[in-house]
Amino acid sequence: MNDAIKQTIAFVKSKKAAARITEPLPVRIILTSLALLFVGLFLVVPLVSVFTMAFNKGMEVYFASLVEQDALSAIKLTLITAAIAVPLNLLFGLTASWAIAKFEFRGKYFLISLIDLPFAVSPVISGFIFVLLFGSHSLLSPWLEAHDIKILFAVPAIVLATVFVTFPFVARELIPVMAANGNEEEEVALTLGAGGWKTFFRVTLPGVKWGLLYGVILCNARAMGEFGAVSVVSGHIRGETATMPLHVEILYNEYNFTAAFAVASLLAMLAVVTLAAKKFVEWKSSGRFTPQLNTERRESGSSGVDL
Amino acid sequence: MSINIVNISKKFGSFEALKDINLTINTGELVALLGPSGSGKTTLLRIIAGLEYADAGEILINEREMISRKIRERKVGFVFQHYALFRNMTVFENVAFGLKVRPRGLRPPKNEITGRVHELLRLVQLESHAERYPRQLSGGQRQRVALARALAVEPSVLLLDEPFGALDARVRIELRRWLRKLHDELHITSVFVTHDQDEALEVADKVVVMNAGRIEQTGGPEEVYDNPASPFVFNFLGAVNIFHGRVHDGCAHIGSLKIDSREHVDVPDTMVVGYVRSHDIDIGRTATGGSSIPARVRTIHRVGNIVRVELLPDDGQGAVEAEITRDRLNELNLQEGEGVHIRPKKVKVFIEDYQI
């Protein structure tokens, strides 16, 4: 056997070894179907059943349960809550991520952990914190009563609980994006004569807009769908302090399944729309923001917040 | 406009980035700040721009105090190594940015901005790329956009932080020659930071060699290359060979070499180090009394027309590298392992306690 043949054989062998890196066909089929089965059982079947249950007494009953007085007020309350909580957390998320990603300061890592706190504690406990703060046995209650301010079992507590629970979404999305973008574009803007605000609105904000939108979408979905924390502080007053998820629970407990599922179908649709919007933003941002030169950044460059 | 840097010091924590720096840059000069990483050159540039604060000292641009002024009042153009183009804006919008953000009263009318931007894009030869986004440009094109953007606001000085550092070898040579040409047309006072000695020596009117937060030497490219003020400068500006020896009565003795060293005539018998550039070493077949060292050829590497010959001196000193032409090699008919004589043509002697 000459050397050339030996080399060819070695080459073919290495080719075979490379081919073996992917799994054999039966294994691939089994794993894929397992995954699909799991997704079907736990995601698709419940979603489909929500809509079948909602429509099982016909379209008229479905729409009637949505335009019913209590259902409408639940939808209204949910929208109001989201309309307050989302802009607040947008503002907070922007400022917090800006401070964390662009500056070095004492207690920075403490602040990062603090932002994550609502993810770490159970929503029920989050709600309970507000009961302890504003309840009838709290330190604040005499003052609140004297001024006739009602927080607990009213809209303010629902908003507060929602703000707390959705606190991390925008900031968590923005911190890595801002850190990756670095400070150089802002520095250039300053040398070109732009002031702080102009730099922020023309350079910093456009640089993170997709990340921001992504955070807002997630934040909004959670704000509308939050059950645990809101349930603790709302008092479940029908037509007054019941948000959509709470309204679903009330209807369900009354064995009014069709109405419960009709309202639930709205939340389910919100979820589907959120997913679609999320995908759209991901697709948009991946095309646009393949970072220019992340690997080559100056050694002393971006502060490198690792989350 | 001239730049005066007076007693500038800067610390990062306990690290002294700049130690009492004094430097004058004259109107219209193109100056290179040259040094290894960590030598403080970028920090100095950022302090001139106002992107970093100095702990002590003064910066004067055109005789006017700058430290107390905000960045945007300093009128400096700054170009970053990684271009820092606004990625959400087109090339045109990038260049127009500095004009568009001016306060209403000072902002030129729209058609004037458009005219000025196109004029600048013509200057950097990118007129046809005005509507492209930065991600659609090559590195060299991006850096030219960054330059046009900095020039748009008619800065009094232009500061460039490793402007060619992220480009590949060929583009960086092209671009640095182009920058030199551009400077000859515009005559704007410019300072650029680099760690590449070829770049500094080729492009700059004046080279400032920095090391560990201090200026080692300031001078024209030829001056710093031919008359390095310290072993550091000697070493940093090109490959160098080191010979150890002693000096007394103004004469350095290095192995069998005797070198006239008049600047050390007052120095008592001391250890010295002789520095010789690789291309200042010739190789001979015969000994020349007092100006050659016997050695053995270890390896011969041919790199294009240049031949690098590694030699081991017989007196046990470290290996020596000589750079000779291919013609000279053929003339000598050198073989590896042969005994020859090293003939340094130009030796610079420094007292031993300098360390590289």
Side-chain angles (χ1 to χ4, degrees):
Chain A
M1 232 188 327
N2 66 27
D3 279 356
I5 296 173
K6 270 186 198 161
Q7 270 178 9
T8 316
I9 289 172
F11 178 67
V12 170
K13 273 186 179 166
S14 72
K15 270 277 223 194
K16 270 191 178 169
R20 233 178 280 134
I21 291 170
T22 52
E23 300 299 332
L25 189 64
V27 177
R28 273 186 280 164
I29 291 175
I30 290 168
L31 286 177
T32 313
S33 18
L34 265 178
L36 286 177
L37 193 72
F38 189 85
V39 170
L41 219 59
F42 286 90
L43 292 176
V44 180
V45 172
L47 198 61
V48 171
S49 74
V50 166
F51 283 96
T52 26
M53 286 298 279
F55 285 109
N56 85 358
K57 282 184 189 159
M59 292 292 252
E60 272 167 52
V61 184
Y62 177 81
F63 285 110
S65 21
L66 291 185
V67 296
E68 179 247 346
Q69 196 64 50
D70 292 348
L72 277 182
S73 83
I75 293 170
K76 200 176 128 198
L77 181 59
T78 299
L79 291 177
I80 289 172
T81 309
I84 300 170
V86 174
L88 269 183
N89 277 332
L90 174 110
L91 208 63
F92 164 76
L94 259 179
T95 47
S97 56
W98 184 69
I100 287 168
K102 309 274 180 188
F103 300 98
E104 288 299 325
F105 55 90
R106 249 168 202 274
K108 177 166 157 171
Y109 290 90
F110 181 67
L111 181 61
I112 295 173
S113 334
L114 217 59
I115 290 171
D116 280 345
L117 186 71
F119 276 165
V121 296
S122 154
V124 178
I125 295 168
S126 310
F128 209 66
I129 295 166
F130 290 101
V131 174
L132 289 176
L133 261 176
F134 302 114
S136 52
H137 297 294
S138 72
L139 284 171
L140 284 173
S141 84
W143 186 87
L144 291 172
E145 261 169 47
H147 292 81
D148 201 24
I149 299 170
K150 207 160 161 36
I151 290 181
L152 206 59
F153 309 130
V155 179
I158 293 171
V159 173
L160 279 175
T162 308
V163 169
F164 181 82
V165 171
T166 57
F167 199 55
F169 284 94
V170 177
R172 283 290 302 227
E173 280 308 319
L174 284 187
I175 291 167
V177 182
M178 283 215 188
N181 284 356
N183 288 343
E184 287 190 350
E185 286 182 42
E186 280 89 350
E187 288 179 345
V188 164
L190 291 175
T191 62
L192 290 172
W197 287 109
K198 274 186 179 157
T199 303
F200 182 78
F201 283 110
R202 292 186 184 219
V203 177
T204 312
L205 203 56
V208 298
K209 65 179 171 195
W210 294 111
L212 185 67
L213 197 57
Y214 190 93
V216 166
I217 289 167
L218 291 182
C219 180
N220 181 58
R222 183 64 189 268
M224 290 190 169
E226 175 56 23
F227 179 81
V230 171
S231 171
V232 176
V233 298
S234 84
H236 296 247
I237 307 165
R238 230 186 144 133
E240 269 180 53
T241 64
T243 59
M244 281 165 73
L246 298 184
H247 188 62
V248 172
E249 191 208 14
I250 293 168
L251 291 171
Y252 191 83
N253 287 344
E254 290 168 349
Y255 303 102
N256 193 350
F257 294 135
T258 313
F261 278 104
V263 179
S265 75
L266 284 186
L267 286 170
M269 274 189 264
L270 171 74
V272 174
V273 169
T274 303
L275 278 179
K278 184 171 159 278
K279 268 267 109 83
F280 176 75
V281 170
E282 276 171 2
W283 169 73
K284 262 299 208 188
S285 60
S286 68
R288 227 151 224 267
F289 290 107
T290 26
Q292 274 187 352
L293 273 163
N294 264 350
T295 47
E296 296 179 64
R297 285 220 172 267
R298 226 184 38 214
E299 316 93 285
S300 59
S302 67
S303 47
V305 180
D306 200 15
L307 290 171
Chain B
M1 316 255 170
S2 62
I3 306 172
N4 287 293
I5 297 159
V6 187
N7 302 106
I8 289 285
S9 294
K10 172 76 181 172
K11 273 188 182 180
F12 291 110
S14 59
F15 174 71
E16 281 190 87
L18 294 171
K19 300 167 196 165
D20 202 20
I21 298 284
N22 287 285
L23 180 66
T24 301
I25 293 159
N26 301 322
T27 307
E29 264 183 331
L30 177 56
V31 173
L33 297 180
L34 174 67
S37 60
S39 59
K41 54 195 192 305
T42 293
T43 307
L44 182 59
L45 197 75
R46 289 173 63 86
I47 289 174
I48 300 172
L51 294 168
E52 205 88 66
Y53 292 104
D55 296 335
E58 278 181 38
I59 300 282
L60 298 120
I61 295 179
N62 207 21
E63 316 277 296
R64 295 219 315 259
E65 222 296 306
M66 284 292 142
I67 289 287
S68 57
R69 282 168 203 263
K70 285 184 184 155
I71 303 170
R72 59 173 152 157
E73 293 166 5
R74 295 192 184 196
K75 296 201 68 176
V76 295
F78 202 96
V79 175
F80 283 89
Q81 180 178 6
H82 296 301
Y83 332 118
L85 295 180
F86 304 126
R87 63 193 93 182
N88 57 301
M89 299 180 201
T90 61
V91 167
F92 180 91
E93 289 165 337
N94 263 282
V95 179
F97 184 87
L99 298 171
K100 281 187 182 164
V101 296
R102 282 193 184 163
R104 211 169 291 268
L106 300 170
R107 198 184 307 156
K110 214 174 172 192
N111 55 348
E112 209 172 288
I113 293 181
T114 310
R116 175 113 186 89
V117 171
H118 281 294
E119 189 187 310
L120 280 161
L121 287 177
R122 208 166 20 240
L123 186 71
V124 299
Q125 297 148 20
L126 283 171
E127 228 192 342
S128 55
H129 295 60
E131 294 314 312
R132 298 229 184 140
Y133 280 90
R135 61 179 183 281
Q136 298 167 311
L137 302 179
S138 71
Q141 290 171 333
R142 287 182 196 178
Q143 197 56 294
R144 296 202 316 255
V145 175
L147 203 62
R149 180 177 63 179
L151 291 171
V153 294
E154 289 164 337
S156 50
V157 297
L158 188 60
L159 308 173
L160 307 108
D161 183 11
E162 304 244 5
F164 317 115
L167 305 168
D168 58 60
R170 222 176 139 155
V171 180
R172 64 194 293 173
I173 290 174
E174 260 172 47
L175 202 58
R176 78 191 185 206
R177 290 190 181 149
W178 177 81
L179 178 77
R180 178 70 239 185
K181 227 178 85 212
L182 187 77
H183 183 265
D184 291 340
E185 285 169 31
L186 301 176
H187 295 295
I188 176 170
T189 311
S190 309
V191 184
F192 75 100
V193 157
T194 180
H195 59 257
D196 181 340
Q197 74 276 7
D198 289 349
E199 207 166 283
L201 295 177
E202 183 179 328
V203 175
D205 297 320
K206 189 156 94 181
V207 178
V208 178
V209 185
M210 294 187 67
N211 178 35
R214 289 183 200 283
I215 293 176
E216 293 270 338
Q217 189 176 3
T218 304
E222 280 170 24
E223 188 189 342
V224 291
Y225 190 80
D226 293 337
N227 290 308
S230 67
F232 175 84
V233 178
F234 210 113
N235 201 41
F236 196 73
L237 291 180
V240 73
N241 291 294
I242 296 170
F243 299 89
H244 293 274
R246 303 193 73 82
V247 68
H248 54 86
D249 296 337
C251 183
H253 298 261
I254 294 170
S256 50
L257 286 180
K258 282 194 194 74
I259 300 141
D260 196 24
S261 175
R262 242 164 273 159
E263 70 260 42
H264 297 124
V265 75
D266 302 331
V267 183
D269 190 19
T270 335
M271 306 282 279
V272 290
V273 188
Y275 289 81
V276 190
R277 296 229 181 271
S278 300
H279 55 75
D280 281 334
I281 290 182
D282 194 14
I283 299 168
R285 287 275 175 205
T286 53
T288 49
S291 64
S292 72
I293 301 171
R296 200 155 287 281
V297 178
R298 195 202 241 169
T299 54
I300 299 172
H301 297 285
R302 290 171 183 82
V303 186
N305 192 40
I306 292 169
V307 182
R308 298 209 174 97
V309 184
E310 205 185 340
L311 302 136
L312 273 180
D314 292 348
D315 60 7
Q317 295 226 24
V320 170
E321 193 180 84
E323 242 178 57
I324 57 174
T325 61
R326 191 128 59 147
D327 291 346
R328 180 72 185 142
L329 181 80
N330 294 339
E331 205 179 296
L332 288 165
N333 191 23
L334 279 189
Q335 302 297 326
E336 290 186 3
E338 262 186 308
V340 289
H341 294 269
I342 302 174
R343 293 176 185 164
K345 290 182 276 189
K346 199 172 158 196
V347 185
K348 178 97 180 162
V349 177
F350 292 103
I351 301 290
E352 174 90 275
D353 57 19
Y354 283 113
Q355 283 299 323
I356 290 174

